[in-house]
Amino acid sequence: MTAHVSIPPLGLAHFTALEVPPLELVGLAARTGFASIGLRLVAAAPGTPVYALRAGSPEVAELRHRLHDNAVRVHDLEIVTIDEHFDPQGLEPVLDAGSEIGASRLSVCADDPDRSRLVDRFAALCDLAAHYAIGVDLEWMGWRAVRTLDDALDVVIRAGRPNAGVLVDALHLKRNGGSPADIARVPPGLIRSVQLCDARAEAPVGTEAIIAEARGGRLPPGEGALPLAELVAALPADANLSFEVPMGTALPAEERVHPAH
């Protein structure tokens, strides 16, 4: 008899197929077996693809219809960088549009070296997002001021907001000294979002190489050496799992995404 393994609903991170606009991403997710999507509404870096959505616009109305018709939901909006110049109020248009399409979370990273100021601004962003019924997840990255799980937990715990959490990325966890055992010790309720990918056993050396791997050198789960089974086993049962593996555009998005799922 074949054993049946229960697989939770999987999300499709926009970074996996960033060339696909939001309206088309909904159908792509539905056709390839994904239950939710993320949307890149804030540029991760200058010159990178980003999509603007305006609350009350015909595009947002059409997006809501497509989400409903395809039984797909929006999990997160991404990705905000909190640096020394960050003003939470500037994100109101993004949160307003996100609320209209039912987004659950806003994903952020942090590049402010002043930890006290960072905590205050993260808390202010959480308060603003709460008005739109959206939570805020802080992701750590090795080249930013918040570079480890402990850094992210410090900010989130000090902010003390009920809608705040940490975003666990399988690559960043491994490359910045973390392990599934560390995930198991995170206080309950702080892990809401998880991005899954795989990677080679050998870690890149140097900041440029580390960034290059994160943005273009990931592997689909099962094709590398990350301890993904152990990671998933350590996660809370209600964490949202998303597939985040940018794989270039040599093949059409559906031909890249469907086999990976």
Side-chain angles (χ1 to χ4, degrees), residues 140-144 147 171-172 175-176 202-218:
W140 67 94
M141 301 176 184
W143 61 92
R144 299 199 183 276
R147 62 176 301 273
L171 179 68
H172 298 315
R175 293 300 190 235
N176 296 292
E202 303 78 16
V205 178
T207 300
E208 289 188 7
I210 291 170
I211 294 174
E213 179 188 48
R215 294 179 178 172
R218 299 170 185 245

Side-chain angles (χ1 to χ4, degrees), residues 1-233:
M1 179 180 295
T2 301
H4 292 280
V5 179
S6 178
I7 303 297
L10 297 175
L12 179 63
H14 208 162
F15 198 21
T16 303
L18 198 49
E19 80 277 17
V20 180
L23 289 173
E24 297 176 22
L25 191 68
V26 178
L28 173 64
R31 293 191 303 273
T32 53
F34 291 93
S36 64
I37 57 173
L39 292 177
R40 179 67 62 88
L41 301 188
V42 181
T48 57
V50 63
Y51 300 92
L53 292 178
R54 181 173 55 83
S57 66
E59 184 181 15
V60 164
E62 177 61 21
L63 184 56
R64 290 177 61 184
H65 287 306
R66 293 195 189 187
L67 289 164
H68 177 270
D69 291 347
N70 287 276
V72 172
R73 64 181 180 84
V74 177
H75 176 67
D76 67 321
L77 314 172
E78 60 170 26
I79 182 170
V80 175
T81 300
I82 304 177
D83 59 17
E84 61 267 33
H85 307 296
F86 178 72
D87 177 9
Q89 296 300 321
L91 284 175
E92 281 209 81
V94 171
L95 293 168
D96 197 8
S99 177
E100 282 200 9
I101 57 177
S104 299
R105 313 292 297 179
L106 175 71
S107 297
V108 307
C109 58
D111 226 0
D112 189 344
D114 185 324
R115 183 59 59 89
S116 294
R117 180 174 60 196
L118 170 59
V119 170
D120 289 345
R121 288 181 175 172
F122 178 78
L125 176 57
C126 290
D127 291 342
L128 179 63
H131 289 296
Y132 297 91
I134 293 174
V136 183
D137 292 320
L138 178 58
E139 181 177 10
W140 67 94
M141 301 176 184
W143 61 92
R144 299 199 183 276
V146 171
R147 62 176 301 273
T148 67
L149 170 60
D150 285 341
D151 288 335
L153 286 173
D154 177 62
V155 173
V156 169
I157 291 171
R158 286 171 59 182
R161 296 304 192 265
N163 63 333
V166 295
L167 190 163
V168 178
D169 181 298
L171 179 68
H172 298 315
L173 176 68
K174 176 66 174 178
R175 293 300 190 235
N176 296 292
S179 71
D182 295 318
I183 295 302
R185 66 174 173 79
V186 173
L190 293 189
I191 297 177
R192 316 287 182 86
S193 304
V194 181
Q195 293 173 339
L196 298 177
C197 68
D198 218 330
R200 298 169 182 83
E202 303 78 16
V205 178
T207 300
E208 289 188 7
I210 291 170
I211 294 174
E213 179 188 48
R215 294 179 178 172
R218 299 170 185 245
L219 299 173
E223 295 187 12
L226 298 187
L228 296 180
E230 293 85 351
L231 171 59
V232 172

Side-chain angles (χ1 to χ4, degrees), residues 16-17 19 246-257:
T16 303
E19 80 277 17
M247 294 178 282
T249 57
L251 293 176
E254 192 154 345
E255 292 183 28
R256 304 192 315 264
V257 171

